[in-house]
Amino acid sequence: MKKNKTLRAAGILFLATMLTTCMTAGTFAKYTTSDSANDSARVAKFGVTVTADGSLFGEEYASKEGGDKPINFSGDANTGTVQVSTQGENVVAPGTKNDTGLGFTVAGTPEVDVEINTTVDIDTVKTVYLRKGSYAVMSKLNNVTEENFDADSLYIQKKVENPDTDNPDTNNTIISYEHPTEYAADAEYYKAVNKLSFNDYDYNPIVYQYQDETGEHFQAYDDLKNLCDAINRDNPGITCDGKYKANTDLKTCTRTLTWYWLISNPESPYSPKDPLKDAKDTILGDIAAGSIVVKTTDDGATYSPVEAATAATKGDYNLTISFNMAVTVDQID
């Protein structure tokens, strides 16, 4: 924030010189005149506060409206009724939402011109997604015999072929799942289950909404990065950003971020029906649970383990949400 300018006070006092003269013998008179000027000043009020209030995520989501959960959830036709509870970590899941949200309020009546800016570090924004593609879950089988062996329906693990003596931990890295060529009694066999294929667009299950103090929703976003980009570009009405003249009451500058993750996929103008939504949610849940989730690019001839997003790559999926939003108010010339 710019350093506040100090208003200087000056006081000026003019005093006329007093004159004395002799008029008549034994009689004296004194002529005097004076004038004065006084001025004062005080430091102009800034008095602007920026407050972040509430939270977006919690360890638990109630199965009924109300209750004592950190974030209340009420089941309805669009979100279902669920109960989620974890130990020490904030979570999201299908059927959860937060309609109270995380709020930012700018308040005060500054006696100087100010400018409000809302910014998000777009490079650090993370949200839950599953990249388009073909997925499956590898389920280990314990009853494969030479008699029921079917190479076309079974898979075996392929690991690093050239052991690295300097990095022995990488020698057991699974690079793919492939059909076996023949039966082996000591082999571990897997079957691909929960198959899913979609190639139209990436799946972003959580819908984010940014609303004003009246509760009116602006455009909903299923990609948090798109919302944050709109905030950075100050799309009309989406933030309180702008320049305000002195003595402007800023009390109406309130914005709240909310979200929801539908548990079902009803027909509605806001959420076109996706027949694969449950399957996509299941794949994300399987990844979170540590199941062997794999992806294929050759119609199931081979599968490779899915890769998580990193700072450098988008990977096949991301299971975490994070962002850093800042609202600042600066005095301007």
Side-chain angles (χ1 to χ4, degrees), residues 32-55:
T32 180
T33 182
S34 67
D35 192 7
S36 66
N38 293 285
D39 198 1
S40 64
R42 61 174 172 79
V43 175
K45 296 177 181 177
F46 188 60
V48 180
T49 59
V50 180
T51 306
D53 185 41
S55 61

Side-chain angles (χ1 to χ4, degrees), residues 139-144 153-155 187-191:
S139 176
K140 186 176 180 180
L141 302 176
N142 298 313
N143 58 351
V144 177
S153 64
L154 299 174
Y155 293 87
E188 292 184 347
Y189 293 104
Y190 295 82
K191 182 179 181 180

Side-chain angles (χ1 to χ4, degrees), residues 152-319:
D152 291 339
S153 64
L154 299 174
Y155 293 87
I156 57 174
Q157 296 176 342
K158 291 292 184 179
K159 299 182 180 180
V160 174
E161 296 182 357
N162 300 314
D164 186 345
T165 56
D166 294 329
N167 297 287
D169 291 341
T170 66
N171 296 339
N172 291 322
T173 300
I174 300 169
I175 58 175
S176 67
Y177 290 80
E178 302 177 3
H179 292 301
T181 56
E182 59 183 4
Y183 176 76
D186 59 348
E188 292 184 347
Y189 293 104
Y190 295 82
K191 182 179 181 180
V193 299
N194 294 347
K195 293 181 180 179
L196 165 68
S197 182
F198 65 103
N199 294 296
D200 44 4
Y201 49 82
D202 295 345
Y203 177 53
N204 297 280
I206 300 176
V207 177
Y208 301 89
Q209 294 177 310
Y210 206 50
Q211 62 191 36
D212 64 12
E213 68 280 351
T214 67
E216 179 181 352
H217 286 83
F218 297 112
Q219 183 178 352
Y221 296 81
D222 65 358
D223 188 332
L224 184 58
K225 276 198 171 184
N226 289 342
L227 169 58
C228 293
D229 182 60
I231 291 173
N232 281 343
R233 289 186 286 107
D234 189 26
N235 282 13
I238 199 168
T239 69
C240 302
D241 290 5
K243 296 180 179 180
Y244 295 82
K245 290 293 186 181
N247 295 308
T248 299
D249 189 349
L250 305 178
K251 66 180 180 180
T252 60
C253 287
T254 300
R255 296 293 183 267
T256 303
L257 178 62
T258 62
W259 61 270
Y260 62 86
W261 184 343
L262 298 179
I263 196 173
S264 59
N265 196 198
E267 293 281 5
S268 79
Y270 309 103
S271 178
K273 188 171 182 62
D274 179 1
L276 298 177
K277 184 185 186 314
D278 289 345
K280 295 172 183 176
D281 287 344
T282 300
I283 289 293
L284 285 171
D286 285 337
I287 295 173
S291 300
I292 305 173
V293 180
V294 291
K295 190 174 183 179
T296 182
T297 57
D298 55 11
D299 296 325
T302 60
Y303 283 94
S304 300
V306 291
E307 297 181 357
T310 66
T313 66
K314 194 169 183 179
D316 298 310
Y317 69 91
N318 187 64
L319 301 180

